[in-house]
Amino acid sequence: METAIEIRGLNKSFGKRHVLKDVNLTTYAGEVFGFLGPNGAGKSTTIKMIVGLLSIDEGQISICGNDVEKNFEDAMKLVGAIVENPESYKNLTGLQNLQLYARIRKGVTPERVQEVIELVGLSNRIKEKVGKYSLGMKQRLGLAQALLHHPKVLILDEPTNGLDPAGIKTLRDILKKLAHEEGVCVLVSSHMMSEMELMCDRVGIIMNGAMVDVKTIDELVASAASDTLTFHYYVDRAEEAFKTVSEYDETISGHVMDETHFEISYPSDKTDRFSGELNRKLFESGYSIYSITPVTNKHLEDVFLQMTQEGGSQIA
Amino acid sequence: MLNLIKNEFVKIFAKKSSYVMIIAILVFAFAMQFLPKLVNNQYYYHDYGRENLESDLAWYKETNSDHNNDYVISLIETALELEIYDLFYYDGSQSWQAAYLNNTYELYYHDAYSEKSEADETTRQQAVNAIDACTKAIKSGDYKPYYETMKVYYADSNSELCNKMIDWLIEHDVVPEDNDWRYMLVRNNIGNAITVSNYENNKRELDDAYDNAKAKCEICMYRLNNNIQYGVTQLPHQELDDNMYTAVKYIYDTPFWSSVDGSSGLLTIMCVIMIIIAGGIIAGEFGQGTIKFLLINPVSRAKIFWAKYASVIILMILTSIFTFLSNIIATAFAGNAGIGSPLLSYVNGSIHTGSVLGVVINTYAFDLVEYIVVITIAFMISALFRSTAVSIGISLFVMFVGATATEIFAALKLDYGRYLVFANWDILGIKYGNGLFPHMTVTGAVINITIYMILFLFIARDAFVRKEV
Ligand SMILES: Nc1ncnc2c1ncn2[C@@H]1O[C@H](COP(=O)(O)OP(=O)(O)O)[C@@H](O)[C@H]1O
Ligand SMILES: [Mg+2]
């Protein structure tokens, strides 16, 4: 596999605040890599350093072998990116904005500009001033901008922000196609796990400026699922019932979903003892249990929540 | 690089303020042409009139003490009789009748009517006749005797040039009205002719003042002989202008070019607008957040920096040209004549003609130096700060305080003030000896400005290239 982004021993401080701690990360051509972490974890900071917006305190970043500090122009020829919010010149139309970038990147023909406009679905509104665009439309324009010059590495910082469900689906399809058919390395950051699950091949989780884990989606789900069990309860009074259950043992976690449904998880080695006792306790306390379903298909969202809770994380 | 510059222009002209600038320049160019005309016209006719002269007469009659009163009273009475009301207006628009009457009285009244005169009977009679002839000539509208009297009037200075000029008017039957440029030209140069003969007759050492007066007279004769109504006189040396305020090297005797040259002040307005553009060209990208998208292109930050600077400077130069052309068009619209006037100079005993356009462009070009320094400061500040408002505010503040502080240094004779860039950017002023500090030279100023510019740009570039975004 061809290495796309390579980050080694990356450190960054803002004043006394140590924001990135020894971050190591390698991504490859042909994959969609999810860069996950709660707000303030350091995703945007890392991305800004990849594209040269912030200086590197310590460590190296290279793009397809080009060091971003020493070989900035060559590295950036291969990169398309949206960093934080997709900002554009408000007094210009979407098309004029794209033309600005087309002019200063090599090999972007007017046909290519039209092509990316179609691709992101902005054809009807491209001649309007960007000042009138919604966040979702700006997001699409940002994506078009990032794709103009056929980048080998595409970096998108929270690209689903402001997109409607249809937009998210389009984005997902575009990114998968780029990665799997055209061999682009796509790095997508997000704090919303559920979206990533459908979009990404691999994910890296960053917390408090440190990489916690890098795994394929399947590995991640499996590893989290193997030592915990989750059950879905349908009862008459979910809130009170959940309270009764979670007070029973501190290893039990979970959440209330609505008035009649809640979920709990506990370590799998305690199943034998817990399952009988918990249900008896609920029964004795006078709750009506309509159904109990084991949840086998563990979602990334839960894994992520679980991991961040284990880390005792506060928003950094 | 060209594409980067083109992008900057696209961004600048996407803003409404840029069009406001263009319209403002046009409006001001026209306003400068037409407003003074409205104001001036009202002002002129105020003081002219019979009542004024009559009240003067009454005043002289009341204050009876001065023995000179007889003279003035007689002069005014004659003027009133002849209906000459601009008797005491010695400016360019005084009628020949008024001038003639004044001259005649000055020459002959004493001998003709004063009791203190020691003149013999013949002289007295001649004097009386001269005054009679004057009033008769004025009544009949015959201006020839006026020219003869003029020659007598200036006879003391024994000026050959002066006589030559007046003779030319007589020979060519020039009516002495202020709408005849030949008459006006001679009138304005008689003083110079007398200056020249003072030097020559008294064998005084020839200096700058002589050179200038001589050149003006020779150019006057040249214009008369070649029928050149409008022209610009290039002096051998700078001299104070009529208002004794600024040193000048060119005398614009052509409404068209004097107006275009005078309107170069319009560049100041343009400069303020350019400060706003330069102050926002980098800070604005931070304000909008677009800086992140600009800097991730495969273009080094240094290139982006220089492209932005070049854009500001190019825009500045284009705006100057635009201002210049607007002034020319507004001047033409205002109906000022003399667009084809030649530039006349007198060098080594002969007249040379050249192009006025070059001289006027020169004025604009030298003004541009000052504005480029100002714009560079604004640009530098824009690179140092993230907010457009802060950046523009500080630029205007620095400009205002810098220039004022330098003038205060100069007034307090604090000599190190001369090393401030604000003391050096008026190169034309320094060239003409109007520098704020003594012994300033053009070379010194150019070196000073160059050092500052390099310093400013180095600081700005460094800040921009290192900036954490
Ligand atoms: N310019 C800055 N100055 C100081 N602290 C910053 C700056 N930019 C980001 N940070 C801090 O660094 C941490 C990581 O921020 P960021 O990378 O934006 O997080 P996210 O993962 O949400 O994108 C946060 O705690 C944030 O407050
Ligand atoms: Mg972020």
Side-chain angles (χ1 to χ4, degrees), chain B residues 195 199 204-214 236-237:
Chain B
T195 306
Y199 276 91
R204 276 170 61 186
E205 200 182 318
L206 304 184
D207 58 12
D208 288 0
Y210 170 80
D211 288 345
N212 280 352
K214 175 82 176 165
H237 314 280

Side-chain angles (χ1 to χ4, degrees), chain A residues 12 48 51-55 72-73 76-77 81-92 99-101 103-105 145, chain B residues 3-4 6-8 10-11 14-16 285 288-301 303 466-469:
Chain A
K12 180 75 185 174
K48 282 179 176 179
V51 296
L53 290 175
L54 288 172
S55 63
F72 179 76
E73 292 188 24
M76 286 307 118
K77 275 178 196 155
I82 305 180
V83 183
E84 292 181 327
N85 302 320
E87 307 285 2
S88 309
Y89 300 97
K90 293 183 184 58
N91 300 313
L92 298 176
Q99 283 165 344
L100 291 182
Y101 300 111
R103 245 175 240 129
I104 53 178
R105 295 181 195 163
Q145 167 275 133
Chain B
N3 281 331
L4 284 172
K6 192 172 170 200
N7 279 358
E8 292 305 324
V10 171
K11 291 180 210 166
K15 287 188 191 136
K16 287 200 189 80
E285 301 266 7
Q288 288 194 62
T290 45
I291 187 75
K292 286 179 289 192
F293 290 83
L294 181 61
L295 296 184
I296 60 172
N297 286 291
V299 183
S300 73
R301 287 197 190 186
K303 274 187 207 154
R466 285 159 181 266
K467 195 158 237 161
E468 303 270 46
V469 178

Side-chain angles (χ1 to χ4, degrees), chain B residues 257-320:
Chain B
W257 292 108
S258 84
S259 156
V260 173
D261 183 67
S263 312
S264 70
L266 194 55
L267 288 174
T268 317
I269 299 164
M270 182 200 91
C271 186
V272 171
I273 298 165
M274 286 302 303
I275 287 175
I276 293 169
I277 292 178
I281 197 162
I282 291 180
E285 301 266 7
F286 281 94
Q288 288 194 62
T290 45
I291 187 75
K292 286 179 289 192
F293 290 83
L294 181 61
L295 296 184
I296 60 172
N297 286 291
V299 183
S300 73
R301 287 197 190 186
K303 274 187 207 154
I304 290 173
F305 175 84
W306 290 118
K308 280 186 178 289
Y309 183 62
S311 305
V312 173
I313 296 300
I314 291 170
L315 186 65
M316 180 88 200
I317 292 168
L318 290 179
T319 323
S320 303

Side-chain angles (χ1 to χ4, degrees), chain A residues 266-284:
Chain A
Y266 46 79
S268 47
D269 53 0
K270 295 186 175 157
T271 319
D272 298 343
R273 188 157 60 89
F274 278 7
S275 50
E277 288 185 23
L278 279 179
N279 296 341
R280 188 160 50 81
K281 195 171 166 62
L282 282 175
F283 184 72
E284 282 170 1

Side-chain angles (χ1 to χ4, degrees), chain B residues 64-129:
Chain B
N64 219 353
S65 58
D66 194 335
H67 67 270
N68 220 15
N69 266 9
D70 289 349
Y71 167 84
V72 183
I73 289 167
S74 168
L75 178 62
I76 296 176
E77 279 173 349
T78 317
L80 284 172
E81 194 191 317
L82 295 169
E83 296 174 357
I84 299 168
Y85 305 130
D86 58 342
L87 190 62
F88 299 135
Y89 293 88
Y90 304 117
D91 62 10
S93 62
Q94 193 186 29
S95 66
W96 67 268
Q97 289 91 342
Y100 186 15
L101 192 64
N102 269 308
N103 289 357
T104 308
Y105 262 68
E106 220 177 305
L107 284 172
Y108 301 114
Y109 182 85
H110 185 71
D111 283 347
Y113 300 117
S114 173
E115 283 151 20
K116 294 196 184 103
S117 171
E118 286 155 18
D120 56 31
E121 189 52 28
T122 2
T123 320
R124 198 188 66 81
Q125 193 54 51
Q126 274 170 359
V128 172
N129 290 347

Side-chain angles (χ1 to χ4, degrees), chain B residues 45-339:
Chain B
Y45 295 102
H46 257 312
D47 299 339
Y48 273 45
R50 192 174 180 93
E51 307 84 53
N52 287 65
L53 211 49
E54 276 172 346
S55 73
D56 281 351
L57 182 62
W59 188 83
Y60 279 111
K61 280 183 169 166
E62 271 171 37
T63 44
N64 219 353
S65 58
D66 194 335
H67 67 270
N68 220 15
N69 266 9
D70 289 349
Y71 167 84
V72 183
I73 289 167
S74 168
L75 178 62
I76 296 176
E77 279 173 349
T78 317
L80 284 172
E81 194 191 317
L82 295 169
E83 296 174 357
I84 299 168
Y85 305 130
D86 58 342
L87 190 62
F88 299 135
Y89 293 88
Y90 304 117
D91 62 10
S93 62
Q94 193 186 29
S95 66
W96 67 268
Q97 289 91 342
Y100 186 15
L101 192 64
N102 269 308
N103 289 357
T104 308
Y105 262 68
E106 220 177 305
L107 284 172
Y108 301 114
Y109 182 85
H110 185 71
D111 283 347
Y113 300 117
S114 173
E115 283 151 20
K116 294 196 184 103
S117 171
E118 286 155 18
D120 56 31
E121 189 52 28
T122 2
T123 320
R124 198 188 66 81
Q125 193 54 51
Q126 274 170 359
V128 172
N129 290 347
I131 292 175
D132 283 351
C134 167
T135 53
K136 273 201 196 103
I138 288 173
K139 268 185 197 143
S140 67
D142 179 12
Y143 59 83
K144 287 269 158 85
Y146 162 59
Y147 286 134
E148 295 301 339
T149 310
M150 221 161 136
K151 277 162 76 177
V152 177
Y153 186 79
Y154 294 116
D156 283 352
S157 54
N158 199 10
S159 170
E160 202 184 311
L161 259 172
C162 178
N163 287 336
K164 212 163 106 186
M165 288 175 185
I166 297 169
D167 283 339
W168 195 96
L169 294 179
I170 297 171
E171 261 169 50
H172 291 81
D173 294 320
V174 175
V175 182
E177 298 285 358
D178 63 2
N179 58 14
D180 192 306
W181 65 272
R182 297 168 297 179
Y183 168 64
M184 296 308 290
L185 185 62
V186 170
R187 256 187 66 162
N188 291 335
N189 277 290
I190 283 178
N192 295 319
I194 290 165
T195 306
V196 170
S197 45
N198 273 343
Y199 276 91
E200 287 171 356
N201 296 343
N202 302 327
K203 305 231 164 358
R204 276 170 61 186
E205 200 182 318
L206 304 184
D207 58 12
D208 288 0
Y210 170 80
D211 288 345
N212 280 352
K214 175 82 176 165
K216 285 186 211 169
C217 292
E218 292 297 338
I219 288 168
C220 165
M221 286 312 296
Y222 180 85
R223 282 172 63 186
L224 289 174
N225 288 326
N226 294 281
N227 197 27
I228 301 170
Q229 179 173 6
Y230 300 118
V232 176
T233 301
Q234 180 176 4
L235 300 171
H237 314 280
Q238 299 109 42
E239 65 177 23
L240 287 177
D241 71 359
D242 292 342
N243 306 322
M244 307 296 269
Y245 179 61
T246 41
V248 293
K249 187 146 162 88
Y250 299 94
I251 298 173
Y252 287 87
D253 193 5
T254 154
F256 191 89
W257 292 108
S258 84
S259 156
V260 173
D261 183 67
S263 312
S264 70
L266 194 55
L267 288 174
T268 317
I269 299 164
M270 182 200 91
C271 186
V272 171
I273 298 165
M274 286 302 303
I275 287 175
I276 293 169
I277 292 178
I281 197 162
I282 291 180
E285 301 266 7
F286 281 94
Q288 288 194 62
T290 45
I291 187 75
K292 286 179 289 192
F293 290 83
L294 181 61
L295 296 184
I296 60 172
N297 286 291
V299 183
S300 73
R301 287 197 190 186
K303 274 187 207 154
I304 290 173
F305 175 84
W306 290 118
K308 280 186 178 289
Y309 183 62
S311 305
V312 173
I313 296 300
I314 291 170
L315 186 65
M316 180 88 200
I317 292 168
L318 290 179
T319 323
S320 303
I321 294 170
F322 177 74
T323 310
F324 176 68
L325 294 178
S326 311
N327 277 336
I328 286 194
I329 291 166
T331 308
F333 259 95
N336 290 308
I339 190 168

Side-chain angles (χ1 to χ4, degrees), chain A residues 2-273:
Chain A
E2 212 181 310
T3 303
I5 306 172
E6 172 140 44
I7 301 176
R8 258 192 262 139
L10 191 65
N11 277 282
K12 180 75 185 174
S13 301
F14 292 111
K16 283 186 189 157
R17 188 114 159 254
H18 199 171
V19 169
L20 290 184
K21 299 153 193 160
D22 257 327
V23 171
N24 289 289
L25 184 65
T26 310
T27 68
Y28 302 96
E31 70 170 349
V32 180
F33 185 90
F35 193 34
L36 307 182
N39 287 323
K43 303 180 296 290
S44 296
T45 306
T46 310
I47 288 174
K48 282 179 176 179
M49 290 165 87
I50 298 175
V51 296
L53 290 175
L54 288 172
S55 63
I56 295 173
D57 288 356
E58 221 178 274
Q60 284 110 37
I61 301 176
S62 64
I63 301 206
C64 304
N66 298 291
D67 189 292
V68 295
E69 284 198 309
K70 292 184 195 120
N71 234 341
F72 179 76
E73 292 188 24
D74 286 337
M76 286 307 118
K77 275 178 196 155
L78 306 173
V79 178
I82 305 180
V83 183
E84 292 181 327
N85 302 320
E87 307 285 2
S88 309
Y89 300 97
K90 293 183 184 58
N91 300 313
L92 298 176
T93 65
L95 182 62
Q96 285 171 324
N97 268 285
L98 291 179
Q99 283 165 344
L100 291 182
Y101 300 111
R103 245 175 240 129
I104 53 178
R105 295 181 195 163
K106 289 233 167 63
V108 184
T109 59
E111 293 77 50
R112 174 64 185 164
V113 176
Q114 286 308 322
E115 202 177 302
V116 291
I117 292 169
E118 299 249 317
L119 185 68
V120 301
L122 267 184
S123 303
N124 294 332
R125 309 288 296 273
I126 201 67
K127 297 224 162 95
E128 274 175 40
K129 293 215 165 144
V130 173
K132 292 185 190 154
Y133 280 21
S134 66
L135 180 56
M137 289 165 73
K138 286 186 197 160
Q139 207 62 269
R140 288 163 193 252
L141 186 64
L143 181 63
Q145 167 275 133
L147 290 174
L148 271 180
H149 53 301
H150 295 286
K152 282 196 162 175
V153 174
L154 181 63
I155 300 172
L156 306 175
D157 193 2
E158 315 237 5
T160 52
N161 235 352
L163 283 183
D164 51 30
I168 295 180
K169 166 119 177 45
T170 317
L171 178 72
R172 196 158 62 211
D173 294 344
I174 294 174
L175 298 188
K176 281 191 164 170
K177 184 163 171 283
L178 282 171
H180 302 153
E181 290 172 26
E182 297 177 29
V184 174
C185 165
V186 182
L187 184 142
V188 191
S189 85
S190 181
H191 65 278
M192 305 264 289
M193 302 307 129
S194 46
E195 290 160 1
M196 295 296 98
E197 190 177 2
L198 293 168
M199 211 184 273
C200 302
D201 303 316
R202 280 200 308 151
V203 288
I205 295 180
I206 183 170
M207 272 166 50
N208 287 327
M211 289 302 292
V212 184
D213 212 351
V214 180
K215 283 200 170 95
T216 66
I217 294 270
D218 296 342
E219 277 171 4
L220 203 63
V221 173
S223 74
S226 60
D227 49 7
T228 351
L229 283 178
T230 303
F231 293 94
H232 189 111
Y233 280 79
Y234 177 23
V235 297
D236 54 352
R237 285 161 292 145
E239 193 136 350
E240 292 156 54
F242 175 71
K243 216 174 153 209
T244 314
V245 172
S246 51
E247 273 168 1
Y248 179 73
D249 192 284
E250 58 179 12
T251 56
I252 296 174
S253 65
H255 59 275
V256 179
M257 307 172 85
D258 56 38
E259 283 177 5
T260 50
H261 293 85
F262 69 90
E263 273 183 12
I264 54 165
S265 309
Y266 46 79
S268 47
D269 53 0
K270 295 186 175 157
T271 319
D272 298 343
R273 188 157 60 89

